Amino acid sequence: MDKKRTFSTGYLLLALLVTWLFNDLIYKPLIIREAEVGYNVFLQDLSENKVGQVILSSDRIIFTLKATGDQKESVANAVAVNDPALVDRLIASGVPFSAQPQTRSLFSSLLGWLLPLLPLVLIWYFLLKRMGGMGSNAMSLGQSKAREIEGEMIGVKFKDVGGVGEAEVELREIIEYLKNPGKFTHMGAKLPKGVLLAGPPGTGKTLLAKATAGEAGVPFFFLTGSSFVEMFVGVGAARVRDLFQQAQKKAPCIIFIDEIDAIGQARSNIGRIGGNSEQENTLNQLLAEMDGFKANSGVVIMAATNRPEILDPALVRPGRFDRQIQVPLPTEPGRLEILSIHTREMPLGDDVQLERLAKITAGFSGAELANIVNEASLLAIRRNSGRIAMTDFDLAIERVVAGLQRKTPLSEDIRRKVAYHEVGHALTAYYLSGTDPVHKISIIPTAKGALGYTLQRPEEDRYLIGEAELRARMAVMLGGRAAELIVFQEASTGAANDLERGTEMARRMVTEFGMSKKLGPVRYATAGGSYLQSGINGRNDLSPATVSSIDEEIARLLNEAQETATALLTEHIGVLHHVAQFLQDKEVMSGDQLAAIVNSLTGTKGEQ
Ligand code: ATP
């Protein structure tokens, strides 16, 4: 509406300008030129008494010619010449004459000033546009670049997001609140102001945020962290301010900041050479705005990051992004859901088995699965087929995998080995006292290249660890390798990292903690250096015999740890097989599931 108005005003001004230019620069000069006569003709007409009246302007002499028998009175003009006798001649002829002041309209005077400035303004405008990509309005610099999508227009619902069950449960509460803030305010309950979605790229964080807004039917402000930061100082902070002002007017609503790490990086991480104070200012402004609005103001800020660990601690403390929701890579059932969502409206051939696709795509993100489905449909179109066949999917996977080398679908054989390896760790931890409880076991390859992992969570902060506990920990580290040796009769490269960590621990037990009877309570390393390291901190005064004794002791500790693990796993071999099978089927299992399986086996069948 506003836009239209400025448009028509612009056209009106343009029309006036064109009319004026036409009148002044074309029409008037034409008329004048047509009636122009030479100065000598004017003098002759004057002396012959044909002139009725004369007007002297700065550059012309305009005069009327009296009517004669067959001619009416007419106007003519002559270009003025420097003739000092002209006035005397006019007085002598008795013709009435007057002078015309040199007048210029205000408009033409203004134009005279403005026209020379025009090229300068144009150059400035184009330079600014190229530097900042700021569009046509330079004043928009401090305005946030958030894209607002009205609630009804979002169209994404939870049914469009697959494999994110846990995240969905957590977000339901936020939706309830956005739909009916009064209910929460009435109870005095405070909702988290900020929700941080953390997980690897392409797992559907943006999609989840949109679905939250879509389900609640509230407006959604979308922008990326990097769009706050411009080359001009202070712009980022101004944009944050503007964003919160806009959002508060539209409450209840959701602000979604993608890649928040672009502004939320820990301040100590920001490059020290010269610092990046612009980013710091933007972050400070964000913190201030989050503190500034009340918990129940109806604005929920959601943010996404792939690297929650680098965020400034101030950003994730209570009162800011105090709820963290993990959005991990999808498990097999999750992948099946995602594949079903994306093939919902596609004609699939009868031979397509989404279950098999889900099975072989361990480690793929939602975005990669969506990409596979898209590639498969393109392949089907290329074949001129109306339906997508299983071969299209197989080829699509090959293509996508070629672009993502680390994500080769794992063969059944490797998955089996990885499962036994991880369960080896987990069961050793389960049966040995003094170890941290198992929290999660997974055989979904991680983005960092591990084929699987077993997570243990300490139950309390540990300040002092005894020798028995260190030995137990070492046994857990070697439990994976022990399981492989028991089941497959050979070790694999998968244990390299375990051996590295185990060896380091054994080395410290011998050289730092005096836990070897043979070597006694002697410290063979100084802080910051291992026993062989030379230089300021290390000691290089050890005899070769001592060095070889240290190596022997390290090897003994590691061997004993592996024997402990092997003995335990052999004793509970039935449990090992059972849990490994469960893990191959489900890909991820929790510590509780592990305990439940072990209990059920020990309780009913007993162990084999
Ligand atoms: P990034 O961290 O790179 O910003 P993201 O986690 O925000 O990624 P999205 O942008 O939400 O990922 O996902 C990209 C696309 O991948 C989506 O538009 C959707 O098509 C598909 N996708 C990703 N995850 C899922 C999922 N869980 N369910 C359905 N589709 C998904």
Side-chain angles (χ1 to χ4, degrees):
M1 179 73 184
D2 276 357
K3 215 171 183 181
K4 269 190 190 156
R5 197 174 299 146
T6 45
F7 243 78
S8 50
T9 319
Y11 280 133
L12 189 68
L13 282 176
L14 191 71
L16 281 176
L17 184 73
V18 169
T19 316
W20 175 81
L21 284 175
F22 181 76
N23 192 37
D24 257 38
L25 302 180
I26 300 174
Y27 184 69
K28 271 192 192 165
L30 261 183
I31 298 289
I32 288 173
R33 201 144 305 140
E34 210 164 89
E36 191 178 286
V37 295
Y39 188 67
N40 57 337
V41 176
F42 163 68
L43 286 183
Q44 196 174 348
D45 286 347
L46 192 67
S47 62
E48 288 172 4
N49 203 18
K50 287 184 183 166
V51 176
Q53 191 185 349
V54 176
I55 297 171
L56 301 172
S57 85
S58 60
D59 54 351
R60 278 188 189 274
I61 300 163
I62 303 158
F63 58 98
T64 54
L65 290 168
K66 291 178 189 163
T68 53
D70 54 344
Q71 269 193 334
K72 283 192 204 159
E73 189 186 48
S74 60
V75 180
N77 68 81
V79 178
V81 293
N82 188 10
D83 177 6
L86 177 63
V87 175
D88 291 340
R89 285 184 217 259
L90 287 172
I91 293 171
S93 67
V95 173
F97 69 95
S98 59
Q100 194 181 47
Q102 188 187 5
T103 51
R104 279 175 82 188
S105 68
L106 182 66
F107 189 51
S108 50
S109 314
L110 265 181
L111 214 70
W113 276 94
L114 292 180
L115 269 181
L117 285 179
L118 195 66
L120 285 180
V121 173
L122 281 178
I123 291 171
W124 175 74
Y125 169 80
F126 283 116
L127 274 181
L128 270 188
K129 199 168 166 178
R130 284 196 66 171
M131 278 189 325
M134 291 176 302
S136 55
N137 188 0
M139 303 317 279
S140 69
L141 210 53
Q143 291 172 5
S144 98
K145 289 187 169 175
R147 253 191 307 127
E148 185 197 336
I149 313 174
E150 287 295 335
E152 316 81 63
M153 313 261 290
I154 293 173
V156 180
K157 297 275 161 59
F158 278 141
K159 67 174 172 37
D160 303 310
V161 197
V164 287
E166 282 175 31
E168 191 181 318
V169 172
E170 297 229 27
L171 288 170
R172 285 263 166 219
E173 191 184 43
I174 307 273
I175 294 169
E176 268 301 298
Y177 165 69
L178 287 169
K179 272 188 175 161
N180 189 359
K183 189 169 118 192
F184 285 76
T185 328
H186 179 68
M187 298 282 290
K190 283 205 174 79
L191 252 121
K193 284 185 193 171
V195 179
L196 184 68
L197 301 171
T203 43
K205 298 180 288 296
T206 310
L207 208 59
L208 261 177
K210 278 191 183 160
T212 311
E215 293 276 345
V218 296
F220 181 74
F221 289 87
F222 173 90
L223 76 171
T224 55
S226 51
S227 69
F228 282 110
V229 188
E230 282 282 354
M231 59 186 292
F232 300 107
V233 174
V235 170
R239 284 191 177 158
V240 172
R241 248 191 322 270
D242 186 62
L243 171 68
F244 278 79
Q245 270 170 10
Q246 277 187 48
Q248 252 157 353
K249 281 186 212 145
K250 294 272 180 161
C253 66
I254 291 181
I255 297 178
F256 178 66
I257 308 176
D258 205 359
E259 303 160 22
I260 188 148
D261 28 290
I263 44 169
Q265 231 182 77
R267 279 163 279 199
S268 57
N269 281 352
I270 300 170
R272 274 301 115 199
I273 303 173
N276 186 346
S277 57
E278 174 55 5
Q279 188 188 324
E280 264 185 62
N281 287 343
T282 311
L283 174 59
N284 287 339
Q285 187 65 37
L286 181 65
L287 298 178
E289 291 290 343
M290 287 190 82
D291 286 343
F293 72 85
K294 296 196 187 71
N296 287 335
S297 67
V299 181
V300 171
I301 309 166
M302 297 181 76
T305 178
N306 305 328
R307 297 178 293 170
E309 69 283 354
I310 63 161
L311 291 184
D312 198 292
L315 203 56
V316 285
R317 76 149 172 74
R320 277 122 183 208
F321 286 102
D322 40 12
R323 184 166 296 185
Q324 261 209 37
I325 299 182
Q326 297 295 330
V327 191
L329 287 171
T331 58
E332 191 181 319
R335 293 196 296 273
L336 180 59
E337 248 179 69
I338 296 172
L339 286 168
S340 313
I341 289 171
H342 285 279
T343 50
R344 218 163 25 196
E345 279 155 21
M346 293 189 172
L348 295 185
D350 295 334
D351 63 334
V352 173
Q353 293 172 302
L354 294 183
E355 292 79 10
R356 186 169 83 74
L357 287 175
K359 207 172 194 65
I360 60 172
T361 44
F364 283 63
S365 68
E368 283 159 2
L369 293 173
N371 192 10
I372 287 177
V373 172
N374 191 43
E375 283 285 335
S377 68
L378 291 178
L379 286 168
I381 293 172
R382 194 173 300 166
R383 283 192 303 114
N384 277 332
S385 162
R387 285 173 178 274
I388 310 175
M390 197 64 182
T391 45
D392 296 323
F393 279 106
D394 286 335
L395 261 179
I397 291 181
E398 266 175 42
R399 279 192 176 190
V400 173
V401 167
L404 314 158
Q405 273 174 9
R406 70 188 162 79
K407 283 188 180 154
T408 328
L410 293 185
S411 69
E412 277 302 310
D413 194 35
I414 295 181
R415 272 165 51 88
R416 191 155 168 258
K417 280 197 173 155
V418 178
Y420 272 102
H421 182 102
E422 296 307 330
V423 176
H425 286 306
L427 280 184
T428 319
Y430 184 83
Y431 286 118
L432 272 181
S433 57
T435 55
D436 295 327
V438 174
H439 177 68
K440 185 177 170 187
I441 319 170
S442 162
I443 54 167
I444 298 179
T446 68
K448 286 185 183 150
L451 297 178
Y453 57 90
T454 302
L455 271 186
Q456 290 171 265
R457 285 245 169 106
E459 281 180 319
E460 55 190 25
D461 288 341
R462 309 300 305 272
Y463 301 106
L464 208 59
I465 307 176
E467 184 179 340
E469 208 178 314
L470 285 177
R471 282 170 172 263
R473 284 189 183 189
M474 230 153 50
V476 174
M477 284 178 202
L478 295 176
R481 182 181 144 91
E484 285 185 58
L485 282 170
I486 294 171
V487 180
F488 306 105
Q489 283 82 46
E490 64 163 3
S492 73
T493 51
N497 181 254
D498 300 333
L499 291 183
E500 187 184 330
R501 283 164 50 227
T503 310
E504 179 58 24
M505 185 175 281
R507 173 167 289 158
R508 294 190 69 191
M509 285 171 74
V510 175
T511 61
E512 285 182 42
F513 311 136
M515 288 178 181
S516 151
K517 281 206 183 75
K518 187 171 174 193
L519 287 157
V522 181
R523 182 180 170 88
Y524 295 97
T526 48
S530 66
Y531 70 103
L532 272 181
Q533 189 185 338
S534 56
I536 306 163
N537 283 331
R539 285 182 57 176
N540 49 12
D541 55 350
L542 300 178
S543 73
T546 313
V547 172
S548 103
S549 297
I550 289 173
D551 286 341
E552 273 167 28
E553 282 299 277
I554 291 172
R556 182 183 61 80
L557 282 175
L558 286 165
N559 275 323
E560 283 174 10
Q562 184 164 312
E563 276 159 25
T564 311
T566 308
L568 265 178
L569 294 174
T570 316
E571 186 186 338
H572 301 284
I573 184 81
V575 181
L576 176 67
H577 288 313
H578 207 91
V579 180
Q581 188 56 51
F582 182 88
L583 187 60
Q584 282 175 78
D585 293 342
K586 302 277 188 246
E587 295 190 336
V588 179
M589 66 190 290
S590 65
D592 293 342
Q593 282 173 318
L594 174 72
I597 293 178
V598 176
N599 284 338
S600 73
L601 289 177
T602 332
T604 54
K605 286 189 235 162
E607 281 165 26
Q608 298 155 27

